[in-house]
Amino acid sequence: MVKDQINNLKNEAVGEVLEAKDEKSLEEIRARFLGRSGKINELTKEIPKLAASERGNIGKLINETKITIENALRESLNNLKERTSENEAWLDVTAPGIKSQEGHLHLVTETISEITSIFSRLGFHRARYPEVEWDYYAFEGLNFPENHPARDDWETFFIENLENDKLGKGILTPHTSSGQLREMESFKPPIRMINIAKCYRRQSDISHAPMFYQFEGLVVDKDIAVTHLKGTLDFFAKNFYGPKRKIRIRPFHFQFTEPSFEADISCGLCEGIGCKFCKQGWLELGGAGMVHPTVLRNGGIDPEIYSGFAFGWGVERNLMMKSGLKIDDIRLLYNNDLRFLKQF
Amino acid sequence: MNILISDSWLRDFIETKATPKQIGEYLSACSQSVEKITKAGDDFVYEIEVTTNRPDCLAVYGIARELSAILPRFGIKAKLKKPKFEKILKTENGLPLNVEISKKDLCPRFTALIYNNITVKPSPDFVQKRLNNSGIRSLNNVIDISNYLMLELGQPMHTFDYDKILKHKMVLRETKDNEEIITLDGQKRILKAGIIIIEDGEGRLVDLCGIMGAKNSETDENTKRVLLFVQTYNPMKIRRACQALGFRTEAASRFEKGLDTEGVIPAMERATLLFKEWCGANVGSKLFDIYPTPTKEKSVTITKEKITKLIGVPIDVKEAKNILESLGFVSKATADNITVIVPHWRSGDINIPEDLVEEIARIYGYQNLPNVLPPISTVDYKLDSVFGWEEKIKTALKFWGFTETMSYSLISKNLISNQEDHLKLSNPLTEDLVYLRTSLIPSLLDISSKNPSESEIKIFEMANIYLPRGKNELPDEIMTLTLALTGKDTYFNLKGILESLLKELGIFRFEIKQDQCPNLKNFAKIFIDKTEIGVIGEVTGEQSDKYGIKQKIVVLDIELRKLLGFASKAKKYIPLPKYPAVIEDLSFIFSSQIFIGPVIDQIKSVDKIVRKVELLDSYQDTRTLRITFQSEEKNLGDKEVSKIREKIIKEVEKKFNASLKFEKNI
């Protein structure tokens, strides 16, 4: 019982010390608890009334409590003094701050996050399919004729000693479109995929890196039409590039889409009037189209019931166009010069 | 492929008041893209990008034909005007030419005609200007005719001096290895096997078919009789030949797209008119026409339903039919479908109903279609949360001061020790990018060594590695996270990052076990439950020297797939402590090198009031541990604490061969 009383007293005192805002109140607390007629002394007076066996322990406990309260008072007083002196001291506010840890995400990572979140708002799910891929998924199944130039070892990387009887040669996928058939094999319509992955082409110059990223959208459902493709691309453009930007589609040609389009975005500098940075007010974004019936059939989907659209665009191109960064050589993104990476 | 054509030339075939700007804009919107319009004297030049499926548009007339369908849709009148032709009279008389074709698939259609009484002179002024606007140098009337008609009709042709074709004999065949030809540009070219050429009666090669003629049979200022060649060739053969030779001509770029065999005779007839008008020539032979398998007429049917379904707005049959007819399709319509006969110049690219949808939609105008978001029907598969975790990890590392790198998945021979374990490209572009990496560590070390100006390296990369699984199977692509760190207390800083990272992922238990690795010292494997999720270690001096890294560098390598198997967003609530904690420091002297991890685990297991054990200090063999005692049920008295303390001291001393140095109450 006495023990509890002592502990309560300790907690009460320490609590008050922590609450105290100035020296005066600390002095008041000291007097009330540790003073000659303070609460501790009052308790001490009770000791002789206790059983002899308890007296020692209680005495010790009271002593500890006294020390604890004294410590708390001292510490609190020091803090108060420090704060007051700091307030009064002269401070050079122009001196540099003490930096916290500063790291950097790669520009491509940031762009991918943004693209993912825009499409996720339309119910697209993120996917990633093999980078080392069979010819079938990258070409044959996508309606590329056997002698199409993209299937030459001039344009696509081939892997030594990798070949499947049914699926053809092993290659590094040159586009995320190889994910279209993979997605159709894994999921039944309705399909809404955004596949973002590394791609590889046998080309290296200031505007082409041999490895790059694409993002591929694929929607397959009943009654999917060109108007839906336009709506989706416009949604992306307005969210990624800004509400004033517009999308247009022009006829183009791809093996795996019919009709096929090239999508353009209105130039952000001249707002579509035409300037030296754009072509008559427009900038090319990338290819798109309605999924070719042969591709749907290869993916196990009946083109008489379902239709779909797809687009596959370069992440780097979109990041450069959006940021307006004048990166003179796209390969800088993958050279890993830390002086470059730490700029962003 | 881009072509350059003059506005005046285009207007030879289309009567319209459309301005060049309108032509550029509307052609881009509905057909081929006009990249640029430039003024050239009193003319304009369009630069047009033509897609590979439309070789018919690699021609002035082809573009005019498109415009005749497009411009009226924008309210501008436009009328297509046919070029003028000269019919070639049927005759069996005239100059001889003996033609043999070794294999009929080399040349789907072969035609030739000989002209007499040629006067070689400069071409008319307007021809020179138009050729020049198209980027082709005017040479003389004979050669200009072939270039002019290639641009006008899209059909390349070649002129020989008839008298230089020995014995007036031509054999069209494939080369054997190492045959030689000197082409018109004066280059001696050594040919691989399988290239289409023509040999004359003396066994000389006189033409590198579809690409360039030979010097030995070219027309010159003394030419009196011209042999004109108009052909279509096997597109694959032409493309392979260009690749093998490493050069490509305008003619070859067209042949390799597959040309219209029915366009050959009109081209021949137009040439005959120009030879008459520009060279004063007359026809000196019969028309040689070898056409073993004439192209058959094709018909395609499309339903009204499909048009509406794919385009997204209702388009009535009558309008669709009008559009198709404006493009040259002959059509028949019922209430709900249209059947068309495909015009011969489109026989290469119109095969299925969807091809007709494209024709209808583009002329109807994509700009006239509304933007509509696809209806959200249920998406009944689970969202893949891996991407969310990956992003979370990357973001955490960024805020802990790491810089993210992205390096090529392909590495050089120099960065790997065992080539057999790696997939290899059969056609690498450079020596740097040959092997698919099986670890990110070499890449990060390479990056570290290539950034000598950085005082501290603090980087990470998250990327796939590729582990081969045999000839018939794709490699295992494993998403990996690798960190590299230099600087003071590197090892424990990096281990601290690992601990924080696991906490971020909701993983509160893991084990570290020392192991051996040839390239890393203080190497340890990281386990969660019984699963090895990664390794940590310091790069050995030998390895650092190999990369030229001067600083001590520690790496952490995690197999993300395994790690994320343990990640959890589940949160656990522990009631806030009601009673104060008692904190004490215990210092032990250990008699030998000691792993402190098991000591900490041991102390924690002594009693449930042991809430926390931290390593406060290490000095020589002394380890100071800060122990937090706290009970959920009551205020801890010295009696309870001392009981547990004694137990801790006893167990540590006994199990780890240690002795207590001192204890301190905080």
Side-chain angles (χ1 to χ4, degrees), chain B residues 576-641:
Chain B
L576 300 177
K578 286 198 198 92
Y579 305 99
V582 175
I583 299 167
E584 293 186 351
D585 293 347
L586 295 180
S587 287
F588 292 98
I589 301 169
F590 293 93
S591 57
S592 59
Q593 288 184 343
I594 182 83
F595 290 116
I596 201 71
V599 178
I600 292 172
D601 290 343
Q602 182 68 40
I603 297 173
K604 277 183 183 163
S605 70
V606 166
D607 193 279
K608 66 176 185 190
I609 68 163
V610 180
R611 274 299 169 82
K612 210 154 88 181
V613 182
E614 296 157 284
L615 178 65
L616 202 63
D617 189 37
S618 288
Y619 178 70
Q620 291 171 347
D621 285 342
T622 302
R623 302 284 179 276
T624 304
L625 297 161
R626 171 160 291 180
I627 302 168
T628 305
F629 302 94
Q630 195 168 34
S631 163
E632 285 168 26
E633 288 136 29
K634 58 181 176 186
N635 260 319
L636 289 175
D638 187 53
K639 213 161 129 196
E640 284 129 325
V641 173

Side-chain angles (χ1 to χ4, degrees), chain A residues 51 162 189 239 243:
Chain A
L162 190 65
N239 279 278

Side-chain angles (χ1 to χ4, degrees), chain A residues 131 147 152 192 250 258, chain B residues 33 239 243 358 375 409 466:
Chain A
E131 294 168 36
N147 49 28
D152 277 353
R192 284 177 185 231
R250 285 180 287 119
E258 189 67 46
Chain B
S33 269
R239 188 158 65 83
Q243 277 174 351
E358 175 160 50
S409 314
Y466 313 84

Side-chain angles (χ1 to χ4, degrees), chain A residues 7 101-106 108-109 113 122-123 125-134 147-149 152-153 156-165 172 182-183 187 190-192 198 200 202-204 209-211 213 219 221 223-228 230-232 234-235 249-253 258-261 279-280 284 290 292-293 303-305 307 309 331 333-334 336-339 341-342, chain B residues 28-31 33-35 49 51-53 236 239-240 243 306 309-313 352 354-355 357-358 362 366-367 369-379 381-384 386-387 390-391 394-395 398-410 423-429 433 436-437 447 451 453-454 456-461 463-464 466 470-475 477 479 635:
Chain A
N7 274 327
Q101 293 269 34
E102 196 181 272
H104 309 267
L105 284 180
H106 198 278
V108 168
T109 291
S113 300
L122 294 182
H125 90 121
R126 172 92 188 266
R128 184 162 57 208
Y129 289 110
E131 294 168 36
V132 183
E133 187 53 286
W134 299 118
N147 49 28
H148 193 278
D152 277 353
D153 59 6
T156 296
F157 287 115
F158 285 80
I159 310 282
E160 242 176 48
N161 293 321
L162 190 65
E163 191 161 359
N164 183 288
D165 295 342
L172 290 182
R182 294 254 175 210
E183 179 82 6
F187 304 105
I191 285 171
R192 284 177 185 231
K198 282 175 180 160
Y200 304 82
R202 244 179 128 266
Q203 203 175 6
S204 180
M211 179 187 87
Y213 279 88
V219 171
D221 203 345
D223 299 327
I224 292 297
V226 179
T227 47
H228 297 132
K230 277 190 76 181
T232 304
D234 196 63
F235 179 86
I249 56 174
R250 285 180 287 119
F252 208 72
H253 174 65
E258 189 67 46
S260 303
F261 319 104
K279 284 180 195 167
Q280 260 93 42
E284 268 176 40
M290 303 304 292
H292 196 285
E304 293 308 315
I305 301 172
S307 53
F309 68 75
R331 293 170 296 188
L333 288 170
Y334 301 112
N336 297 300
D337 187 323
L338 291 171
R339 293 169 305 178
L341 297 177
K342 287 183 173 180
Chain B
S28 298
C30 300
S31 179
S33 269
V34 176
E35 306 262 290
E49 185 193 4
T51 52
T52 51
N53 61 327
M236 259 320 284
R239 188 158 65 83
R240 292 258 185 261
Q243 277 174 351
K306 186 149 223 152
K309 231 171 124 174
L310 275 180
I311 297 176
V313 295
I352 57 172
E354 284 76 5
D355 293 330
V357 171
E358 175 160 50
R362 71 184 176 93
Y366 294 132
Q367 69 283 355
L369 300 180
N371 293 334
V372 181
L373 287 174
I376 292 245
S377 43
T378 46
V379 179
Y381 41 82
K382 241 170 59 186
L383 289 182
D384 197 338
V386 167
F387 301 101
E390 287 178 0
E391 199 175 320
K394 285 185 176 188
T395 309
K398 169 198 153 107
F399 287 113
W400 292 333
F402 283 79
T403 297
E404 183 187 13
T405 63
M406 274 196 191
S407 49
Y408 293 115
S409 314
L410 295 155
L423 288 176
K424 186 188 176 194
L425 293 185
S426 59
N427 58 337
L429 191 59
L433 311 174
L436 278 161
R437 57 187 172 181
I447 291 166
N451 282 282
S453 61
E454 294 292 311
E456 185 198 36
I457 297 287
K458 196 169 184 184
I459 54 177
F460 77 94
E461 183 157 344
N464 275 334
Y466 313 84
K471 188 177 163 33
N472 281 311
E473 216 181 322
L474 293 178
E477 294 184 12
M479 191 53 73
N635 260 319

